[in-house]
Structure formats: structure tokens, C-alpha cells
Amino acid sequence: MNRSIPAPVHRRSGHWLAALFTLMTCCLPAAWAADSGFAQRPQVQAFIQKMVTQDKFDRAYLEHLFDKVEPQPAVIAAMKRPAESLPWYKYRRIFLTQQRIREGVTFWRQHHAALERAQKTYGVPPQVVTAIIGVESFYGRRMGGFPVLDTLATLGFDYPPRADFFRRQLAQFLLLARDEGIDPLQPKGSYAGAMGQGQFMPGSYRHYAVDFDGNGQRDLWNDPVDAIGSIANYLARHGWQAGGFVAERARIDGRGVEALSSGLKPSLMPTALHAAGVRLDKPLASKNLYAWVRLETAHDPEFWVTGQNFYVITRYNISALYAMAVYQLSEAIQSAYQQQARAAEVADKHAP
């Protein structure tokens, strides 16, 4: 059964593509300019053989798909300038906007029942799931315009720094399409091949997406309920602790904190943080482990103590900037949501 997904990719004519490649030869890898057919590349043929042998795909079917692949130079350009390379004070401006907060409240109100059920099922609070959807796809409105098959093939065969990873994701995408009844030529996603409202990579889609509304489909493009359940399931499976510590701004006395390990995974006892001059308004649970992050601002840096749940958010995107944006957006959405709820309660009390 073919699921309803974003509109089919409109493929460019061969004449137009040939002219484009002629103009761009100086800018593209040599393999691209010399290709007579993507499916005939030796590396692609080896990949096809592996999928035929290990996963029982039909060779003719895969060669047909790869013959339609159009390399996407824009995705490689985007991989070289990710938003996470920005300093925090610039990165923060992208996501911590009044519009994103306001629309996060609207999303929460619209999907209140699903978000509450996700919290009961997986322990992840509504504001965190909402914030991730807000950061990843602006609540489903910006899910990416790159053909996923083209993107993953481009990165898997023409982006050596991470080719192995993207070939694995390409294999997962083909398996996902077969499992879910999706035409591989149709889905669109990010410049890295992430898909849907939660921007799941194919491997994550296969292993963590859930049919949260029980309609027999796992649809992360069109079904916000499935997206909500899938994100909560992903975080829970990666160790989210219900009601657990995420992050808190710290004051620093002296320079001792610079000598502490600063990885994303919590490894420091509260006593070590305190001895290094880290000061918080609230005491930390003595038996838990923590980490710390330094964030660049336009003036003095910010220091934050982070916990297990912050680390879990970085499993979604391995970046302290990303996790902090999600956390701060979630806090802002929750505050605005509660403020609206209180205002509505007051209005009801004073209604004639």
C-alpha cells in the first residue's frame, strides 16, 4: 500500500541536466562529470549487490532506481556549513523566536491529548516533544525539499568524510520504503536525508518510529500524532529520565571548571563541580552524574551544568547548541502555555 507522502519529485529533463553539469564541471567531483549513469558506478554496483545478497532486493529494481538518481551538489555544500558551526548567540536567534514560541503553544493546544499520552507512555514532557518538532520542522511546515534518495546517494558515494554512514542510511531508506510501501523516488527531506516532522534519519525511522494513533501506518510526514509518539519513544529508548534534570545556568568562581572534562555525557559528581567553582541556585542530586557546557555569547560566555536528559537530547543531534536550543525553547513554550492557561482560567471565573 502506497502511503500518502509529500508530492512526487519533479525530475529535471536530461538535456537541462546535461547542460548544468557541463557548466558546473569545474565545481563538482570528477566522478560526477564523467558519469554516464549513476547505477553503473562500480561502488554503486557493489552496494546493489550487497542489498541483493543480504536483503533480497531485486537487482533490476535497484538499478532502475539508481539510474534515476541525480547528484545533489547543494547537499554537500550544506554539509560543509551546518548551523551548529555558529556561535551560540547566533544559533540561538534561529530558534528562540516569538513566532516559534507562539506556534509551539498552538501546537501543544492542538495536540494536547497525544502529547499527554506520550508523557504517560514514555515519560517525556509535552514541551520537550513540541520543541523538537519546532526546531526540526517548524511544526511540520519545513520538512525539507531535497529528494531523499538523491540526497543519500550523493552523500553515500560523493562525500568521503561520512560516506560509510550515509551508505548505511541509504540501505535503511530502501528497507524502510519496502517495509512501509513507499515509492523511494517520492519522499523529500533535509540536506542530510532526514525526514518528516521530527526529521528522522532512515535508520531512526525504521527502529524508533511508532504508529501512535493506531491507524496501521507510521507516517512522520502527515501525521503529527505519529511524530509525537515517535520522538518521545526515541528519547525514552535513549535513556530519558522522567522528571529528570536537564540543565541549569551556573556561576563560575575562578577558573577551575576549565580543568574538568567537558564531554556531553555526564561524568562528574556534584562535589567535583563544586570544588571547581561551579555554583548553582539549587543543589544537585548527590548520586547523579553531570556535565558542563560553555556557550559563546556576544560578551561573556555562559556556563551551564547539564544532566542525563540534556545528553539524551544530544542523541537526536550531537550538539550542545542543538540540545540547549531545544531545552530553552521548551521552557519558553511551557511558560507561554501556562500563562495562557492561567489567563483563560481567570477569564472563565469572571465570565457572566
Side-chain angles (χ1 to χ4, degrees), residues 147-165:
V148 174
L149 179 63
D150 290 358
T151 296
L152 295 174
T154 297
L155 295 172
F157 296 102
D158 289 312
Y159 186 59
R162 299 189 67 192
D164 289 344
F165 169 77

Side-chain angles (χ1 to χ4, degrees), residues 122-284:
Y122 301 110
V124 184
Q127 66 270 20
V128 171
V129 175
T130 299
I132 287 178
I133 295 176
V135 167
E136 293 290 348
S137 68
F138 214 120
Y139 311 106
R141 293 209 306 275
R142 302 176 185 171
M143 294 185 284
F146 291 101
V148 174
L149 179 63
D150 290 358
T151 296
L152 295 174
T154 297
L155 295 172
F157 296 102
D158 289 312
Y159 186 59
R162 299 189 67 192
D164 289 344
F165 169 77
F166 283 108
R167 286 188 203 179
R168 291 195 298 271
Q169 291 302 314
L170 177 59
Q172 290 293 310
F173 174 67
L174 293 170
L175 290 165
L176 172 70
R178 185 173 69 179
D179 294 346
E180 303 290 328
I182 296 171
D183 178 354
L185 298 175
Q186 289 191 20
K188 293 184 179 181
S190 76
Y191 67 82
M195 301 173 290
Q197 297 188 31
Q199 292 290 278
F200 273 32
M201 291 299 290
S204 294
Y205 200 131
R206 287 194 72 217
H207 294 102
Y208 303 112
V210 296
D211 173 19
F212 204 50
D213 59 6
N215 68 353
Q217 298 178 340
R218 301 186 302 169
D219 184 353
L220 302 189
W221 284 279
N222 304 302
D223 193 336
V225 174
D226 282 359
I228 287 165
S230 298
I231 291 168
N233 179 52
Y234 182 97
L235 296 176
R237 294 275 295 276
H238 283 79
W240 184 272
Q241 298 174 346
F245 179 82
V246 181
E248 185 175 335
R249 179 85 176 267
R251 302 182 306 278
I252 304 298
D253 293 338
R255 301 180 61 85
V257 69
E258 303 287 357
L260 296 176
S261 61
S262 57
L264 293 171
K265 189 171 185 178
S267 62
L268 301 169
M269 296 294 292
T271 50
L273 290 166
H274 189 270
V278 179
R279 304 291 182 258
L280 300 170
D281 291 335
K282 298 178 182 179
L284 297 171

Side-chain angles (χ1 to χ4, degrees), residues 279-299:
R279 304 291 182 258
L280 300 170
D281 291 335
K282 298 178 182 179
L284 297 171
S286 60
K287 295 183 179 180
N288 291 345
L289 297 177
Y290 301 90
W292 67 276
V293 297
R294 174 189 175 123
L295 301 176
E296 297 300 324
T297 73
H299 303 290

